[in-house]
Amino acid sequence: MPETALPQTALPETALPQTITAPALKSGTPEELRSLEAGLDSLQSDAGVRRGIEWSRLLLPLGALVVLVLAWQLYVSLGFRRRDLVPGPLDVFGSLGTLWDEGKIQEAVLTSLQRGLIGFAISVAVATPIGLLLAQAKPLRRAFGPLISGLQVLPSVAWVPAAIIWFGLTDATVFFVVLMGAIPSIINGLIAGVDQIPPQYRRVGHVLGASRLEMALHVVLPAALPGYVAGLKQGWAFSWRSLMAAEIIVIGGTLGFGLGSLLEQGRQLADMGMVMSAILTILFVGIAVELLVFAPVEKRLLRGRGLLAGSTR
Amino acid sequence: MSAPAAQAATAANPAQAAPTRAAAGDARRAPAVVLDSVGKRFGAGAPVLDGVNATIRQGEFVALLGASGCGKSTLLNIIAGLDTPTAGALEVPADGAAFMFQDSALFPWRSARGNIELALKLRGLDKSQRRERADELLDLVHLGHAADKRPHELSGGMRQRVALARSLAQEKPLLLMDEPFAALDAITRDLLHDELERVWRETGRTIIFVTHNVREAVRLGQRVLLLSSRPGRVVAEWDVSEAHRTNAGAAGELTAAITARLREEIRRHA
């Protein structure tokens, strides 16, 4: 490197002060060294992160909600449409209250959430080993990769007719549709997570003497975790959507009464209040799961790896 | 400029190029790494390494110097077993080598202590020993206070010290270092030089330190090997005596001599 050598070659040796080359620097005592090091360490590391409740995180979404509801009320008050076709927020909250008093909404939420969670749990259990296998074994990946990507694009509702023929009007039909929606996206998320592991990590694992299993457990899985969690999140979204679609189409038989069923019932009764109540509840459950489950997990994961700085989260 | 034949002659008898002789004690030590005409070529291209000969003795601190792209890292990877040579033979310790990369390559999901504990775990230490040993190693690199910090909370210099502690946790007598301080600022680098030298004296490791920085090579190495570029080959070597370490003038002279030789090597490709 020219930059390091230039002073020595440009000046005659006798003109060199005795202090400018590196060896002069190491004359410090161990104590001096240690304090220099401690000084550098504190200068170069981050100060602690501030903690406490971030009010803007709570108030801004609430404010946005209030604005949207006010705009909705304003639109309805202007009277462009009949109130029974386009109910206002107050009408909808009214029918929501009625449904709550009848216990219908609780039953529907409970049934749907239970189905969604069970379907999602089965999907995770099935998709995780498949995803790991595909990510690690090249021939399998080449053989089945396109199929998995294709399945992710195929709307899972397309499986409803087949599922009804195979399983009839039972819970199995609903679960089948949910699994076909969630499994491919979880597999794809995990594969993407593994693909994005910096090659350096595997080299380090190799240098540290990791066996194949140890490499998978201590290097590949933790390194792929952010991608895997993103896949889980998408998998949940696909489960929930597929579930709603299935519940709207598949009604009767031994099936329980879910949010999708409520929605369909509202349509049959031409009760817009009920329809809107069901839509809002479906949306609310989606938001609640995101805020209470996935957001904290993701945030913790990213913060722990120093990936949160500069993001808008 | 030197003809290839002359280069080969120098490689065959590197002592000729050395301005000073090796210390008498070194010859009696057993060799830790022996490279015998090691060559490496990727695919059908020109060889990256060709006929590399060198012997590194136990407990020795050798600086492997060369311009960027001369195959220094490839050679280090071959010694580490991360890559295989396409020609020649080499003798390395049976239990492999510890390796330190240019970037710290710490796992971001583990704390400083966790990273060191993983190295210990992969060596088969049980849990109680891991914790204790990891804390000892962190103290050795003066980072006892940062044990629970994640890599992103540490400065570049601190990360490299954790990486050094992790490579020491491997308990391999041979430590390979691939430009570990290249990305650090000058003050931190000087400090880590002192630190590394101290750790080397305290642990008695054999160290092969790859760098493109002549001053760094003279500062750290007991011996400096110069690797030519395309193909890479050991074309010269110098012994760094105690006088070079204490006398800035002598060190400057040696640095200038090595720099001149390195530049000559680079100009051959102009």
Side-chain angles (χ1 to χ4, degrees):
Chain A
M1 288 289 290
E3 43 112 350
T4 57
L6 207 61
Q8 277 107 34
T9 47
L11 292 169
E13 190 260 315
T14 45
L16 272 178
Q18 293 280 304
T19 45
I20 70 156
T21 48
L25 255 171
K26 68 169 185 147
S27 53
T29 65
E31 293 74 42
E32 281 170 357
L33 205 73
R34 233 185 143 135
S35 61
L36 174 64
E37 198 164 54
L40 272 180
D41 286 356
S42 74
L43 276 176
Q44 294 176 340
S45 356
D46 292 338
V49 230
R50 70 195 159 82
R51 304 252 162 175
I53 303 175
E54 293 172 85
W55 287 106
S56 70
R57 192 176 283 283
L58 199 64
L59 293 179
L60 282 178
L62 276 180
L65 188 67
V66 169
V67 169
L68 286 175
V69 170
L70 283 180
W72 177 12
Q73 181 63 55
L74 182 72
Y75 174 77
V76 173
S77 310
L78 291 176
F80 293 130
R81 294 273 199 284
R82 281 165 47 195
R83 282 297 271 274
D84 60 329
L85 291 183
V86 182
L90 291 177
D91 308 317
V92 172
F93 291 138
S95 45
L96 204 57
T98 317
L99 286 171
W100 180 275
D101 289 340
E102 291 169 0
K104 232 173 180 174
I105 201 101
Q106 295 94 315
E107 185 201 344
V109 168
L110 219 64
T111 309
S112 290
L113 255 186
Q114 200 183 356
R115 281 177 180 159
L117 289 179
I118 292 175
F120 179 63
I122 298 174
S123 307
V124 173
V126 173
T128 305
I130 297 180
L132 266 184
L133 209 62
L134 288 186
Q136 298 288 61
K138 203 170 180 176
L140 286 178
R141 169 83 176 271
R142 295 220 162 140
F144 294 104
L147 180 67
I148 301 285
S149 309
L151 279 176
Q152 200 187 357
V153 179
L154 180 77
S156 52
V157 196
W159 291 103
V160 171
I164 292 177
I165 293 171
W166 287 334
F167 307 110
L169 295 179
T170 61
D171 276 344
T173 298
V174 176
F175 282 128
F176 179 76
V177 176
V178 169
L179 294 192
M180 292 315 283
I183 289 176
S185 52
I186 298 176
I187 293 179
N188 272 324
L190 184 52
I191 290 179
V194 173
D195 282 351
Q196 285 169 17
I197 298 177
Q200 185 82 317
Y201 290 170
R202 290 180 203 261
R203 283 161 55 92
V204 172
H206 189 252
V207 162
L208 295 180
S211 66
R212 263 186 97 90
L213 180 67
E214 285 168 335
M215 186 79 95
L217 286 181
H218 299 300
V219 180
V220 173
L221 262 184
L225 205 54
Y228 180 50
V229 169
L232 289 182
K233 192 170 149 178
Q234 209 190 1
W236 164 255
F238 273 62
S239 318
W240 189 240
R241 294 174 189 202
S242 313
L243 178 64
M244 290 307 116
E247 282 181 351
I248 290 173
I249 301 174
V250 190
I251 292 181
T254 62
L255 276 169
F257 187 79
L259 278 168
S261 329
L262 181 70
L263 191 58
E264 176 63 11
Q265 198 177 57
R267 183 191 70 80
Q268 282 166 356
L269 300 174
D271 181 347
M272 259 318 272
M274 197 193 252
V275 170
M276 289 300 290
S277 301
I279 291 178
L280 287 182
T281 309
I282 294 169
L283 183 66
F284 174 77
V285 172
I287 294 175
V289 170
E290 159 68 24
L291 286 186
L292 297 179
V293 182
F294 288 107
V297 169
E298 254 184 336
K299 196 172 170 192
R300 204 188 131 90
L301 203 64
L302 294 182
R303 184 194 285 142
R305 296 171 187 222
L307 296 172
L308 216 51
S311 93
T312 49
R313 283 188 75 88
Chain B
M1 280 302 102
S2 329
Q7 294 300 318
T10 318
N13 188 5
Q16 233 173 27
T20 52
R21 290 293 306 132
D26 279 351
R28 285 197 297 273
R29 293 216 208 141
V33 175
V34 180
L35 304 174
D36 183 11
S37 310
V38 168
K40 174 77 185 176
R41 113 185 16 243
F42 292 100
V48 178
L49 298 171
D50 187 27
V52 177
N53 290 301
T55 301
I56 289 118
R57 301 195 172 274
Q58 277 171 13
E60 210 179 356
F61 197 139
V62 171
L64 193 58
L65 180 72
S68 298
C70 72
K72 306 183 291 277
S73 298
T74 309
L75 184 58
L76 212 58
N77 285 343
I78 288 174
I79 297 173
L82 290 170
D83 212 337
T84 48
T86 44
L90 73 161
E91 226 175 88
V92 291
D95 53 353
F99 203 105
M100 199 174 151
F101 299 91
Q102 177 170 352
D103 59 333
S104 61
L106 297 173
F107 293 132
W109 57 89
R110 282 176 169 263
S111 65
R113 184 194 285 119
N115 267 284
I116 296 170
E117 281 180 337
L118 179 63
L120 297 168
K121 184 188 170 78
L122 295 176
R123 244 184 64 209
L125 259 68
D126 62 46
K127 203 161 184 170
S128 55
Q129 289 173 301
R130 292 206 290 265
R131 171 80 186 223
E132 198 180 320
R133 183 78 185 115
D135 284 339
E136 276 173 30
L137 284 163
L138 280 169
D139 278 337
L140 182 68
V141 295
H142 298 158
L143 275 177
H145 59 284
D148 295 313
K149 294 236 159 96
R150 292 286 179 93
H152 74 272
E153 297 173 288
L154 304 173
S155 70
M158 293 163 91
R159 283 202 283 268
Q160 283 306 42
R161 274 145 65 200
V162 177
L164 176 61
R166 178 174 68 178
S167 55
L168 294 174
Q170 293 183 255
E171 292 291 349
K172 302 279 172 71
L174 177 61
L175 173 55
L176 306 173
M177 307 179 84
D178 190 359
E179 304 193 26
F181 308 140
L184 301 178
D185 66 89
I187 299 175
T188 308
R189 190 161 49 216
D190 283 337
L191 189 67
L192 286 189
H193 287 162
D194 293 350
E195 187 102 346
L196 177 60
E197 188 176 38
R198 181 178 61 81
V199 168
W200 171 60
R201 289 191 192 287
E202 281 174 23
T203 60
R205 297 284 206 281
T206 310
I207 298 182
I208 304 179
F209 188 100
V210 159
T211 179
H212 58 244
N213 183 330
V214 179
R215 274 212 312 174
E216 186 170 57
V218 171
R219 163 72 186 85
L220 287 172
Q222 290 179 296
R223 201 145 60 96
V224 178
L225 303 184
L226 178 64
L227 210 60
S228 63
S229 303
R230 276 184 240 151
R233 180 179 297 170
V234 179
V235 288
E237 78 168 71
W238 293 266
D239 285 303
V240 184
S241 66
E242 204 45 45
H244 292 120
R245 293 173 180 277
T246 47
N247 182 330
E253 209 175 325
L254 181 59
T255 306
I258 297 177
T259 304
R261 186 74 178 80
L262 175 62
R263 288 183 174 182
E264 184 188 317
E265 202 43 58
I266 296 169
R267 277 197 207 101
R268 275 198 317 120
H269 297 275

